Amino acid sequence: MANWDWQVFCKNTIDGEVIPRCLGSGGDITYLDWMLSAWGWTLSVALLALVVALLLGSLMGILRTVPHKGLVFLGNAWTELFRNIPLLVQVFLWYHVLPALVPVLKGVPSFVLVVFALGFFTSARIAEQVKAGIQSLPKGQRYAGLAMGFTLPQTYRYVILPMAFRIVIPPLTSESMNIIKNSSVAFAVSIAELTMFAMQAQEETSRGIEIYLAVSGLYFISAFSINRIALFIEQRVQVPGMIGGSK
Amino acid sequence: MNKTFALALALAAATGAAHAEDTLKKIKDSGSVTMGVRESSGALSYTLGDGKYVGYHVEICQHVLADVQKQLGLAKLEIKYQPVTSQNRIPLVQNGTVDIECGSTTNNLTRQKDVAFAVTTFVEEVRIAVKANSGITSIGQLNGKNVATTTGTTSVQTLRKHERATGVDFKEVFGKDHADSFLLLESGRADAFVMDGAILAGNIAKSKSPADYKLVGEVLSVEPIAIMMRKDDPAFKKAVDDSIKAMMKSGEIAKTWHKWFEQPIPPANTKVGMPPNDNTKAAWANPNDKPMEDYAKK
């Protein structure tokens, strides 16, 4: 029914001429070159934001379970702040509003801002999962650790966290895949990632169906790779008798 | 059972054939027509909310459809309004959901492979908007500056071609939509906003202090904007073209322009304040459906 035109990816982005080898050279850029570069931006935003999210999310999740009211409040406040505001609004807050209040931020590239926006947003969700993971452990483990003479940080380091993190790997996998998909909001602050490529290239070439199919494929490959890596880690670290460790 | 199946098949074939080609017959048989409109394409086509659509192109289309109604001798013609976006307007015209698209579509060669265009009603010029106190007067002064434009527009391509051709090296920043792009200029993240003149004029008119901005420099690209229809339906295209040509001849199109671009318009009763440019006047004087590529050759 549809008449496909996959050659669109071999077209030069300046004059629309088809380039024989499909990849431009000497300053010429084809839509394929552009899409691969956009994929790179998508992965860069997503992976850096994931690092931010895992570090901050774990920290905030742990704080929410310690026997200190102030730290628990900090962790809770962080989580509620960042998970109750829509992601796109948060991105705009970082890009338009914060620099108006703190002029120094004007010099920060939008790439960095969007990594923080996406990382902080996701950290709230990870904090919730880490907290749930820690709370799912029997209280006795914590007491056992302390009774052994461990300090509280040592109890977390050697007793609680090794178990809790194993439990939360499956929901963390979902978050890691979400961050790839959520990175599409970066187009709103002029990051040349896949969603922006798709919107722009379909306007220029009028071949939206081919372009959206290709972009969907790349998103799928990216998120699915994360899924497979996480599954590999999950299998490597599983403990017999624990959730998913009943081999 | 067999009978029902055959009937269904015949029906499917009949409806299939009806919207494959003959729009006039479809309009006559159904007593209704579907007009594709935009939620916010400046004064060309926009919504007042509550399912109401107005603007320069919407009014032209209403006029055209009144003529079609007369031509078909219909006592009553129901106009259904279907909002479309940049992404879906061409597929919706191709598959028959929309009979006549009255938004802000550029007539170019790529699109002519998929759809047909009526005679050009407006020739858009891509311009540069800057802060009035910036001292920038031409594109050459944008070297090393941040230039905003909107994702999903042909202006991005125009800018890229210009950068290539002139060797001017500017940093591009992209707004999600025109309002975002204007915010980039307003907040100082961008030194200039490159976009269709009508959109720039509209955004400046709606801004907090319109006097702070101005349009400067050369015309970067010229784009004929036209009403879009299904391809391979010469009878319908003739009906639409004839109606528009009559408006051009009688001067009614100039009046319609004046109403939408030079007078206060709803909902806020602000003026776009944009008289028709020379290319637009030329298109009214000599009606044609030439694509964008023909303008670039000059």
Side-chain angles (χ1 to χ4, degrees):
Chain A
M1 175 202 105
N3 39 345
W4 302 109
D5 179 16
W6 293 102
Q7 264 207 333
V8 62
F9 287 103
C10 302
K11 283 183 178 168
N12 187 333
T13 55
I14 301 278
D15 52 18
E17 294 292 316
V18 173
I19 288 179
R21 283 175 53 248
C22 226
L23 289 170
S25 54
D28 281 342
I29 296 171
T30 64
Y31 285 98
L32 182 65
D33 294 328
W34 184 6
M35 184 168 73
L36 293 177
S37 139
W39 193 21
W41 280 106
T42 288
L43 292 178
S44 313
V45 168
L47 295 179
L48 286 174
L50 182 60
V51 172
V52 172
L54 283 175
L55 290 176
L56 276 169
S58 304
L59 177 67
M60 292 301 160
I62 292 167
L63 289 186
R64 295 173 74 189
T65 64
V66 298
H68 183 288
K69 278 197 175 142
L71 293 178
V72 172
F73 177 80
L74 174 69
N76 286 342
W78 178 277
T79 307
E80 297 309 332
L81 175 65
F82 286 105
R83 76 171 176 179
N84 281 304
I85 302 172
L87 178 55
L88 190 59
V89 175
Q90 289 196 30
V91 168
F92 282 136
L93 283 175
W94 282 88
Y95 191 59
H96 287 299
V97 182
L98 285 181
L101 303 174
V102 188
V104 188
L105 279 174
K106 271 190 183 154
V108 179
S110 59
F111 176 76
V112 176
L113 293 180
V114 85
V115 163
F116 278 115
L118 186 56
F120 282 25
F121 173 80
T122 312
S123 79
R125 302 173 55 95
I126 290 181
E128 188 65 21
Q129 288 156 4
V130 169
K131 176 190 146 200
I134 294 173
Q135 286 181 339
S136 74
L137 294 173
K139 276 226 166 70
Q141 293 212 2
R142 180 188 296 257
Y143 298 142
L146 294 170
M148 292 280 291
F150 283 160
T151 61
L152 186 68
Q154 282 174 329
T155 308
Y156 269 91
R157 166 70 186 82
Y158 295 110
V159 181
I160 298 174
L161 293 184
M163 298 304 287
F165 270 113
R166 285 183 169 94
I167 293 170
V168 298
I169 286 179
L172 284 188
T173 307
S174 297
E175 282 315 316
S176 312
M177 292 166 73
N178 270 342
I179 219 167
I180 299 263
K181 293 173 275 177
N182 284 343
S183 72
S184 63
V185 295
F187 95 89
V189 290
S190 87
I191 305 290
E193 50 71 69
L194 279 174
T195 301
M196 176 190 266
F197 162 78
M199 295 175 75
Q200 186 58 38
Q202 88 90 26
E203 172 69 27
E204 289 177 16
T205 61
S206 301
R207 304 307 313 190
I209 294 174
E210 288 86 343
I211 283 164
Y212 277 113
L213 276 177
V215 165
S216 306
L218 290 183
Y219 272 121
F220 182 87
I221 291 170
S222 314
F224 196 64
S225 310
I226 297 268
N227 172 299
R228 294 291 105 174
I229 294 168
L231 198 68
F232 175 74
I233 296 173
E234 191 183 335
Q235 283 168 351
R236 285 300 295 270
V237 300
Q238 68 193 182
V239 178
M242 291 281 298
I243 301 172
S246 55
K247 258 190 196 164
Chain B
M1 194 67 199
N2 232 338
K3 236 184 200 168
T4 338
F5 183 69
L7 194 71
L9 208 73
L11 255 172
T15 49
H19 80 57
E21 234 102 276
D22 200 342
T23 310
L24 287 175
K25 185 172 183 309
K26 179 186 166 189
I27 294 173
K28 189 164 187 180
D29 291 348
S30 64
S32 74
V33 60
T34 305
M35 188 196 291
V37 285
R38 296 294 294 257
E39 301 279 353
S40 62
S41 275
L44 284 173
S45 181
Y46 64 99
T47 180
L48 293 175
D50 209 18
K52 284 198 189 74
Y53 293 89
V54 293
Y56 172 68
H57 262 174
V58 174
E59 188 168 328
I60 292 176
C61 276
Q62 284 163 344
H63 185 104
V64 165
L65 292 174
D67 283 352
V68 166
Q69 182 183 0
K70 246 182 269 165
Q71 183 187 333
L72 294 174
L74 285 172
K76 193 172 160 282
L77 177 62
E78 185 200 354
I79 300 177
K80 294 178 191 153
Y81 293 92
Q82 166 73 48
V84 299
T85 66
S86 298
Q87 271 81 33
N88 69 17
R89 58 190 165 184
I90 290 174
L92 287 180
V93 165
Q94 278 181 299
N95 74 15
T97 308
V98 166
D99 296 310
I100 182 165
E101 195 258 1
C102 314
S104 52
T105 305
T106 300
N107 175 353
N108 66 26
L109 282 179
T110 326
R111 288 180 180 155
Q112 284 192 358
K113 286 183 202 150
D114 297 328
V115 289
F117 289 93
V119 291
T120 299
T121 34
F122 168 36
V123 183
E124 181 59 279
E125 295 176 339
V126 174
R127 302 286 306 272
I128 310 166
V130 293
K131 289 230 173 99
N133 60 7
S134 67
I136 296 170
T137 54
S138 82
I139 191 162
Q141 284 168 281
L142 292 176
N143 208 359
K145 296 266 170 56
N146 292 319
V147 178
T149 185
T150 307
T151 304
T153 63
T154 40
S155 299
V156 179
Q157 206 175 8
T158 302
L159 217 53
R160 193 191 305 141
K161 283 179 185 165
H162 233 83
E163 196 163 13
R164 181 74 185 275
T166 57
V168 177
D169 183 26
F170 31 69
K171 294 179 211 115
E172 287 161 13
V173 284
F174 300 101
K176 175 170 67 64
D177 49 41
H178 301 315
D180 278 353
S181 300
F182 193 77
L183 181 60
L184 291 171
L185 176 65
E186 200 176 10
S187 68
R189 276 200 179 267
D191 304 291
F193 176 15
V194 169
M195 187 45 60
D196 298 359
I199 292 169
L200 292 178
N203 272 295
I204 290 173
K206 277 188 276 179
S207 71
K208 270 178 275 176
S209 52
D212 288 355
Y213 306 93
K214 59 179 181 183
L215 296 185
V216 296
E218 47 276 71
V219 172
L220 301 183
S221 153
V222 172
E223 300 192 6
I225 310 285
I227 286 159
M228 180 164 69
M229 297 157 289
R230 263 187 299 288
K231 205 173 155 64
D232 300 326
D233 189 351
F236 186 56
K237 177 168 161 54
K238 185 173 183 309
V240 175
D241 279 351
D242 286 351
S243 170
I244 297 175
K245 281 177 190 166
M247 285 178 84
M248 289 170 173
K249 212 168 171 190
S250 70
E252 184 165 352
I253 204 153
K255 268 186 227 148
T256 312
W257 179 280
H258 185 67
K259 174 176 166 190
W260 291 101
F261 287 94
E262 297 173 274
Q263 293 293 311
I265 53 172
N269 278 319
T270 44
K271 262 192 243 183
V272 178
M274 195 174 85
N277 57 43
D278 291 344
N279 277 317
T280 301
K281 282 187 202 153
W284 292 345
N286 296 299
N288 67 79
D289 58 1
K290 283 190 291 189
M292 181 181 163
E293 285 77 2
D294 285 10
Y295 284 80
K297 272 177 205 147
K298 278 196 289 189

